[in-house]
């Protein structure tokens, strides 16, 4: 039986180097301690990352102790799961090119720090997801160094050499990240299935979930094997794969997908590239093809370390910013907040979107911060928003308005989300094919507190340009009456 922890989860994504420095230290203190590679360039915390040939060696100084010190902040925001990008030994700040998959980079801390982080998260009733990129590794990894040193190396066939030893398959052609050859049984055992494999090493560290980078590059068979291996150790561990595109086949072999299909659909809608009907069909297709449980456990993102920050994507249009957040927290899926989004940080594509977290509250966008907190609270208060069914109504309306139902397991748990992304006020009658939307029920907007009364599965809606509403049933207006009656259960008195 699979865990349901993702059904009510709010994820907070952290890049360790860019989130917080622990112990009151600075990047310069840590440089003096010899914690960084020779080519590392120390950056001041307030510096803005800029594209240049050596950008991957710019370090700001964040570490695991810094994350530990900020857990109360994350908890107060309302997030209950921390997703950390790689922290393995590597010369780059991002660590997606590991030199040792079984270690922790000394600039980020050690296993004592990691264990403390896991224990404190669990003590706060929070979870941790770690990020593993075993599609490729660093060209400084001992296995690759050995592979190119001798044609008789036992590790030579761990890689795809096209012209030994200088030409080999690498991730997107970046030669410092050679890809691993999983047609080799030794590589399979080393990284996936062996008793002391990379995967099993981290399974012993009491993590709650593992996110696999470049799952589409790994391929369906490898992804299935990874999930099977993890579930043998702990069926409760969530396994998420990064697949940028629409990927129901991969969803069938994983617990959920980190996909940009929904993300891109949101921004195509807000930029006018697709209409409301097409957007609704996109989301309904994801829900139908993934299935209710897999859709619920897949990430819903409006930004990440690989995608521009939200305010940049909507060209600083605050109304579109809020519409994107309403979608993120009410569509089927698990909301993932990229660090700093909640305080209105900006940044275009990588590396600008990877600036250090702003801890000076005088520079926060407090309106954005309060909006996030309210939206998280609403999501947590409504069972149907946490893994509930999805029913698109946008294509029925055909008037440019987004509308959809979220339906929980209890018949009284449902919400109607209505969003007007157009620049015109809309007034229209909406019909909702749901058996328990009884005549006479009042539907109240959780944002404005305005209400409408249901007729025969239909009612009138007026919504301003750029407006949004989350309607939920209010049964308190009819005292001493119930809209729903249950029969006595067998064995009851």
């Amino acid at each position: 039986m699979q865990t349901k922890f993702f059904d009510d989860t709010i994820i907070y994504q952290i890049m360790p180097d860019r989130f917080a420095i622990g112990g009151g230290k600075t990047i310069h203190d840590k440089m003096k301690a010899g914690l960084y590679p020779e080519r590392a360039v120390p950056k001041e915390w307030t510096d803005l990352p800029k594209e240049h040939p050596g950008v991957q060696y710019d370090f700001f100084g964040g570490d695991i102790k810094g994350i530990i010190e900020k857990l109360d902040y994350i908890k107060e925001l309302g997030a209950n799961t921390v997703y950390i990008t790689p922290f393995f030994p590597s010369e780059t700040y991002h660590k997606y090119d590991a030199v040792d998959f079984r270690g922790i980079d000394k600039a980020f801390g050690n296993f004592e720090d990691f264990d403390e982080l896991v224990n404190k998260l669990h003590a706060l009733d929070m979870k941790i997801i770690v990020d593993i990129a075993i599609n490729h590794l660093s060209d400084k990894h001992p296995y690759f160094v050995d592979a190119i040193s001798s044609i008789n190396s036992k590790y030579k066939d761990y890689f795809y050499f096209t012209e030994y030893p200088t030409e080999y398959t690498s991730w997107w052609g970046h030669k410092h990240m050679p890809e691993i050859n999983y047609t080799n049984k030794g590589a399979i055992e080393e990284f996936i299935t062996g008793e002391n494999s990379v995967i099993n090493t981290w399974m012993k560290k009491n993590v709650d979930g593992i996110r696999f980078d470049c799952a589409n590059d790994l391929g369906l068979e490898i992804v299935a094997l990874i999930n099977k291996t993890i579930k043998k150790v702990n069926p409760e561990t969530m396994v998420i794969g990064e697949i940028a595109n629409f990927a129901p086949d991969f969803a069938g072999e994983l617990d959920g997908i980190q996909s940009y299909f929904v993300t891109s659909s949101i921004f195509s809608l807000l930029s006018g590239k697709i209409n409301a009907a097409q957007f609704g069909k996109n989301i309904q297709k994801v829900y139908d093809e993934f299935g209710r449980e897999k859709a619920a456990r897949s990430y819903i993102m409006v930004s990440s370390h690989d995608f521009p920050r939200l305010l940049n994507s909507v060209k600083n249009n605050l109304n579109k910013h809020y519409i994107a957040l309403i979608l993120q927290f009410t569509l089927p899926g698990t909301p993932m907040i990229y660090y700093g989004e909640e305080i209105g940080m900006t940044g275009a594509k990588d590396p600008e979107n990877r600036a250090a977290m702003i801890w000076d509250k005088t520079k926060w966008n407090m309106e954005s911060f309060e909006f996030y907190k309210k939206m998280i609270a609403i999501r947590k208060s409504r069972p149907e928003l946490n893994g509930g069914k999805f029913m698109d109504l946008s294509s029925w309306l055909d008037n440019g308005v987004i509308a959809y139902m979220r339906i929980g397991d209890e018949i009284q748990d449902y919400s109607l989300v209505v969003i007007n992304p157009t620049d015109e006020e809309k007034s229209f009658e909406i019909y909702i094919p749901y058996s328990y939307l009884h005549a006479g029920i009042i539907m109240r907007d959780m944002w404005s507190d305005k209400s409408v009364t249901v007729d025969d599965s239909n009612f009138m809606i007026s919504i301003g340009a750029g407006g949004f509403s989350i309607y939920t049933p209010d049964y308190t207006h009819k005292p001493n009456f119930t809209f729903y009656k249950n029969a006595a259960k067998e064995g009851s008195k």
Side-chain angles (χ1 to χ4, degrees), residues 124-148:
L124 290 168
D125 196 27
M126 298 172 73
K127 312 273 185 195
I128 181 169
I129 299 171
V130 297
D131 193 351
I132 301 179
I134 56 170
N135 172 71
H136 50 266
L137 40 69
S138 169
D139 61 353
K140 303 295 191 298
H141 192 288
Y143 294 172
F144 187 75
V145 172
D146 192 274
I148 61 175

Side-chain angles (χ1 to χ4, degrees), residues 227-377:
N227 196 14
K228 181 180 178 182
T229 301
I230 289 173
K231 290 297 192 287
K232 280 183 180 179
V233 180
N234 184 359
E236 295 287 307
T237 303
M238 298 303 298
V239 186
I240 304 297
E242 180 200 26
I243 313 283
N245 48 280
F246 179 68
D249 288 351
F250 283 88
E253 301 295 347
L254 294 162
D255 295 313
I257 301 293
Q258 182 183 8
S259 168
Y260 289 96
F261 181 82
V262 173
T263 307
S264 295
S265 295
I266 290 172
F267 292 116
S268 290
L269 169 74
L270 294 178
S271 64
K273 294 177 181 177
I274 61 173
N275 59 24
Q278 179 65 62
F279 177 81
K281 290 176 181 177
N282 285 5
I283 305 303
Q284 189 70 60
K285 187 69 172 176
V286 170
Y287 180 81
D288 292 343
E289 293 284 334
F290 280 41
R292 178 180 172 182
E293 289 190 1
K294 301 296 179 75
R297 294 183 180 117
S298 294
Y299 293 2
I300 299 287
M301 307 168 293
V302 291
S303 61
S304 78
H305 66 292
D306 287 326
F307 203 88
R309 288 192 177 274
L310 175 55
L311 280 170
N312 289 75
S313 292
V314 297
K315 296 180 172 56
N316 291 309
N317 184 311
L318 287 178
N319 187 246
K320 291 183 178 181
H321 173 265
Y322 294 138
I323 288 176
L325 295 181
I326 293 287
L327 291 166
Q328 180 182 25
F329 285 92
T330 61
L331 288 173
T334 299
M336 189 199 81
I337 304 167
Y338 183 43
Y339 77 92
E341 285 296 318
E342 71 278 11
I343 59 172
M345 284 182 64
T346 58
K349 65 181 182 178
D350 174 19
E352 292 180 23
N353 60 345
R354 300 182 181 187
M357 174 68 176
I358 298 172
W359 292 110
D360 180 354
K361 289 189 177 182
T362 65
K363 297 180 179 179
W364 287 11
N365 181 329
M366 294 307 298
E367 184 179 334
S368 174
F369 185 68
E370 293 303 324
F371 193 98
Y372 266 92
K373 291 184 71 173
K374 182 176 181 179
M375 200 63 245
I376 291 171

